[in-house]
């Protein structure tokens, strides 16, 4: 007795996905080795894309790409964790025709990315490990906060000088500014 197989099976086939990433939505183009499947817009969610690929191209080898930009690497980490072989590329390294330069829109960009990925024309940029990126962010945020604190202190000093409020002698030494005692003096004695 012969039975008809009704399920799709893309085992051993490559699916190429170009993603034009934005804050609230992604424009996605999906290509097979020989055909263009479609271009569509979806919410900015890796899980939505992954579910679509698994539903329409079960057991295929998924390859995706998006351009490096403001959004960082969270998309890359999520796609990789869901089994999609993702790469992040430098926007300047994506081959672009003159027509594509003149007709710049999201569907064109995602098609260009998918086509270049399928052709093997893209080079991935270095994506640091998530822990390394978190450490770098922590150091950068701390440096920013230190700069902000220096600015705030300068503004307070300028405010005091502007109104002719002298520092008490015990706080004249530069090392004693911004101590607990100084902050207490500032809060109690200076009220304008």
């Amino acid at each position: 007795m012969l039975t008809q197989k009704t399920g799709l099976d893309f085992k051993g086939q490559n699916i190429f996905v170009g993603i034009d990433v934005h804050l609230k939505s992604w424009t996605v183009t999906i290509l097979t080795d020989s055909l263009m499947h479609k271009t569509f817009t979806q919410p900015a969610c890796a899980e939505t894309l992954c579910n679509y690929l698994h539903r329409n191209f079960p057991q295929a080898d998924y390859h995706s790409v998006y351009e490096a930009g403001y959004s960082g690497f969270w998309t890359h980490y999520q796609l990789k964790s869901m089994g999609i072989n993702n790469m992040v590329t430098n926007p300047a390294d994506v081959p672009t025709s003159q027509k594509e330069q003149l007709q710049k829109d999201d569907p064109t960009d995602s098609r260009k990315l998918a086509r270049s990925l399928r052709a093997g024309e893209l080079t991935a940029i270095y994506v640091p490990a998530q822990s390394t990126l978190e450490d770098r962010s922590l150091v950068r945020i701390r440096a920013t906060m230190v700069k902000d604190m220096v600015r705030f202190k300068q503004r307070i000093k300028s405010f005091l000088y502007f109104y002719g409020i002298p520092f008490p002698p015990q706080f004249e030494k530069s090392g004693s500014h911004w101590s607990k005692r100084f902050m207490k003096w500032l809060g109690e004695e200076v009220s304008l």
Side-chain angles (χ1 to χ4, degrees):
M1 181 174 161
L2 294 171
T3 59
Q4 185 176 1
K5 188 174 180 182
T6 57
L8 295 174
D9 186 7
F10 285 84
K11 191 168 191 161
Q13 295 184 41
N14 293 312
I15 303 299
F16 302 96
V17 183
I19 309 169
D20 191 42
V21 177
H22 294 283
L23 181 63
K24 295 188 179 186
S25 67
W26 295 348
T27 303
V28 177
T29 296
I30 300 176
L31 306 176
T32 66
D33 283 320
S34 57
L35 300 171
M36 177 175 167
H37 174 63
K38 71 192 262 187
T39 298
F40 59 95
T41 301
Q42 69 158 58
C45 176
E47 188 174 352
T48 302
L49 177 59
C50 188
N51 289 340
Y52 183 88
L53 292 172
H54 286 291
R55 187 173 58 252
N56 292 286
F57 304 98
Q59 300 180 7
D61 295 322
Y62 310 115
H63 306 275
S64 65
V65 64
Y66 71 92
E67 295 175 333
Y70 76 96
S71 64
F73 300 117
W74 69 269
T75 302
H76 175 76
Y77 298 134
Q78 286 186 345
L79 291 170
K80 290 290 257 188
S81 73
M82 294 178 185
I84 298 174
N85 183 20
N86 184 68
M87 76 167 17
V88 182
T89 190
N90 181 349
D93 292 342
V94 179
T96 306
S97 69
Q98 186 175 6
K99 183 179 178 182
E100 289 169 337
Q101 287 176 346
L102 297 174
Q103 180 187 351
K104 179 122 176 72
D105 60 9
D106 298 342
T108 301
D109 288 346
S110 71
R111 283 191 290 272
K112 177 176 56 171
L113 285 167
R115 187 184 66 243
S116 298
L117 179 63
R118 180 173 66 184
E121 299 171 336
L122 299 176
T123 304
I125 64 169
Y126 172 72
V127 178
Q130 195 164 359
S131 60
T132 303
L133 199 60
E134 290 167 356
D135 291 343
R136 286 180 184 173
S137 294
L138 181 64
V139 170
R140 287 182 185 136
I141 288 171
R142 184 190 181 285
T144 300
M145 292 177 75
V146 167
K147 286 179 186 177
D148 289 345
M149 287 300 296
V150 168
R151 286 186 192 115
F152 293 140
K153 289 175 182 179
Q154 287 294 63
R155 287 180 186 148
I156 291 169
K157 281 182 176 181
S158 295
F159 179 82
L160 294 174
Y161 291 142
F162 183 81
Y163 285 101
I165 301 172
F167 285 93
Q170 68 265 29
F171 302 122
E172 284 297 326
K173 290 196 300 186
S174 62
S176 63
H177 288 322
W178 315 112
S179 64
K180 282 186 179 181
R181 286 179 46 225
F182 177 76
M183 298 300 287
K184 184 178 178 186
W185 169 81
L186 193 59
E188 290 174 353
E189 299 298 324
V190 181
S191 58
L192 293 176

